[in-house]
Amino acid sequence: MIETRPSVLLVDDDARTIEILAAYLETQGFGTTLARAPEIAVQLMRTIAFDAVVTDVVFDGFADGNLVLSAARDLQPRAVVVLMTGYPAIENAVRAIKSGANDYVQKPVDPAVLATFLQRALRERDITRPDLTFGDLVDILSAMVANTIERVDPYTAGHGSRTRKYCRYLAQNLGLEETRTERLELAAIAHDYGKIYLEDLGFLTKNGPLTTEEYEEVKKHPLLGARKLGNHEHLAAVRQFVGEHHERFDGGGYPKKLVGEEISLEGRILCVAEVFDSLATKRSYKEVWALPKTIDFFASQRAKAFDPVVLDPFLDLLEVHGERWMRQPMQDLAAAGLLVPGGNPAPTIARA
């Protein structure tokens, strides 16, 4: 799939704001065009094709950003629209989002956050194309995760790709056909994508345990991810597996409390693989578990959280690969340049 330089129209009556944003977006591979009034923006959209439009909501005290949104939907319906507002709860902003904006950011806008929003939205737009191959979908989902959830929480860097690897090992061991294995791999890459849509991303990097209310919010992410992955024909099964990855074999999981084979085999595989990588990864609320402790935990949850049909061959795999797999998360963080002195991940967007 050929990558092109995405074009962004930035609209605000504060020239300094859009100049700063443009300078940063250019460093992230975007092309930018600036407009200081809604009327100018509309005229530009009549003559130039844009991949994204980023507009203020309020101009000179009036909510004229809706004019830009309306024009974008009429003139360039495939363009991603992001609203900038100093009043994130303002009724006009909420109404505009329901009318077709993809997202909004609060002013003063962090250029890195805006770039992440745009990358995410453009990847989501591309994922609806009917001509995408399995390789294209791997690339798109990997980029979506890397540019969003892994930037918010660098503790998770490489989590999706490692989970994908463990899922493939298990799928081959259990004799899954290649098409089902490919769908499982896509789900492994994107299983935590719904976390980016949580109301408060600070939950993801909180030191210490979540409150009951925070945990209930985090539990929304499997279904959020499943809904946000798009309607590509290859993704129907992927959405199912993503939605199942926190179910438990004994029915004690979420969101639907499915029991046993009510959970797809792929969902049961994904559950084992992603829990293993989570235990092997340092998080803001926990240290890396040792391999014997990890194996003991899995053994204690046999036929409880985990299906023995899946777990038993995975424990066999850990006998061969376990020590190396336990080291992989920290190696991935180091390779990505995300470790600071002391062996901890670099500061996150969510803490900024």
Side-chain angles (χ1 to χ4, degrees):
M1 186 167 56
I2 299 174
E3 295 288 339
T4 58
R5 185 176 173 87
S7 57
V8 182
L9 175 61
L10 297 166
V11 191
D12 197 321
D13 53 7
D14 182 348
R16 183 63 176 157
T17 292
I18 51 179
E19 287 169 358
I20 291 172
L21 294 175
Y24 183 82
L25 290 176
E26 292 279 347
T27 70
Q28 300 301 301
F30 294 93
T32 60
T33 301
L34 312 186
R36 294 187 58 187
E39 297 79 7
I40 297 172
V42 172
Q43 186 58 40
L44 285 167
M45 283 189 281
R46 294 185 187 280
T47 57
I48 302 173
F50 294 103
D51 293 293
V53 178
V54 180
T55 180
D56 196 3
V57 173
V58 177
F59 293 82
D60 295 326
F62 297 95
D64 290 339
N66 292 333
L67 297 176
V68 180
L69 171 60
S70 178
R73 294 284 72 96
D74 290 341
L75 299 171
Q76 303 196 29
R78 279 185 52 80
V80 167
V81 180
V82 178
L83 303 179
M84 300 184 291
T85 175
Y87 310 95
I90 188 172
E91 290 185 4
N92 284 333
V94 173
R95 188 159 50 245
I97 290 172
K98 291 180 179 178
S99 299
N102 295 80
D103 217 325
Y104 71 80
V105 289
Q106 185 175 359
K107 300 178 75 172
V109 177
D110 182 332
V113 170
L114 176 60
T116 297
F117 279 171
L118 291 175
Q119 288 161 341
R120 183 192 76 192
L122 290 172
R123 288 291 181 178
E124 288 175 347
R125 183 191 68 178
D126 286 346
I127 211 167
T128 63
R129 286 174 41 194
D131 61 331
L132 297 176
T133 66
F134 169 68
D136 292 335
L137 290 169
V138 167
D139 291 343
I140 290 174
L141 291 178
S142 297
M144 283 168 57
V145 170
N147 289 325
T148 54
I149 193 65
E150 290 184 3
R151 291 190 61 188
V152 171
D153 182 6
Y155 287 97
T156 64
H159 175 56
S161 62
R162 292 189 301 272
T163 301
R164 174 193 177 191
K165 176 176 70 176
Y166 308 145
C167 282
R168 172 163 278 278
Y169 269 95
L170 271 170
Q172 291 173 337
N173 187 288
L174 294 170
L176 258 66
E177 63 186 43
E178 185 63 20
T179 298
R180 291 178 65 182
T181 300
E182 289 180 352
R183 304 294 188 267
L184 171 59
E185 289 184 59
L186 292 173
I189 293 168
H191 69 274
D192 276 340
Y193 183 58
K195 288 181 177 178
I196 202 69
Y197 291 96
L198 297 175
E199 291 295 326
D200 185 352
L201 299 184
F203 298 163
L204 305 183
T205 52
K206 179 182 178 181
N207 288 311
L210 300 177
T211 65
T212 300
E213 293 76 15
E214 290 170 340
Y215 182 55
E216 288 302 314
E217 176 68 17
V218 171
K219 284 166 64 176
K220 297 177 182 178
H221 80 270
L223 289 183
L224 281 171
R227 286 200 299 266
K228 295 293 186 178
L229 281 178
N231 295 317
H232 191 287
E233 63 179 17
H234 292 334
L235 296 179
V238 175
R239 291 193 297 271
Q240 176 187 352
F241 309 151
V242 168
E244 293 174 336
H245 80 272
H246 277 293
E247 300 289 356
R248 287 172 49 115
F249 193 64
D250 61 5
Y254 62 86
K256 296 182 179 180
K257 297 188 179 299
L258 301 177
V259 180
E261 293 186 3
E262 292 178 351
I263 310 165
S264 67
L265 177 57
E266 290 89 340
R268 285 174 271 151
I269 292 171
L270 179 53
C271 179
V272 169
E274 84 91 19
V275 168
F276 169 75
D277 194 69
S278 295
L279 297 178
T281 303
K282 178 181 173 63
R283 297 288 175 91
S284 59
Y285 54 87
K286 62 171 281 294
E287 296 297 324
V288 176
W289 283 26
L291 181 60
K293 181 180 179 181
T294 300
I295 291 174
D296 287 346
F297 167 75
F298 276 118
S300 73
Q301 292 297 311
R302 186 179 187 274
K304 297 177 181 178
F306 309 114
D307 179 3
V309 169
V310 175
L311 180 60
D312 292 349
F314 188 71
L315 291 175
D316 291 341
L317 287 169
L318 291 184
E319 291 292 329
V320 179
H321 306 287
E323 291 291 351
R324 177 165 55 86
W325 286 357
M326 295 294 290
R327 294 191 296 269
Q328 194 63 54
M330 293 301 285
Q331 292 173 352
D332 287 348
L333 284 171
L338 294 174
L339 288 183
V340 296
N344 292 312
T348 70
I349 293 174
R351 293 171 188 243

